[in-house]
Amino acid sequence: VHGVPEQFGSIIKNFIEMRDAYEVLENVLEKNVLVVDDVLSSGATMIEMIRQVAEYEPKTIFGLTIFKNHQA
């Protein structure tokens, strides 16, 4: 994954592609999860990521946005 530290790249890639759902479940189930979006425009990406993470029953989900697009 471009622009992501190597140790996190494969985790993010697997999560996005959902190649190994069991491993994702093991990493998320009953854990606190932080979903990070670099730029919040419409919020659609953040909403979709939270929806997908919620399917794996985390303890809590937090959303963090670095920048907000004021034109959206």
Side-chain angles (χ1 to χ4, degrees), residues 15-26:
F15 181 80
I16 291 170
E17 295 178 2
M18 302 309 271
R19 286 187 178 171
D20 191 348
Y22 180 77
E23 185 176 323
V24 173
L25 175 60
E26 186 177 86

Side-chain angles (χ1 to χ4, degrees), residues 52-66:
Q52 289 184 29
V53 168
E55 292 178 10
Y56 293 96
E57 302 178 16
K59 182 177 178 181
T60 56
I61 303 173
F62 299 95
L64 173 67
T65 300
I66 308 303

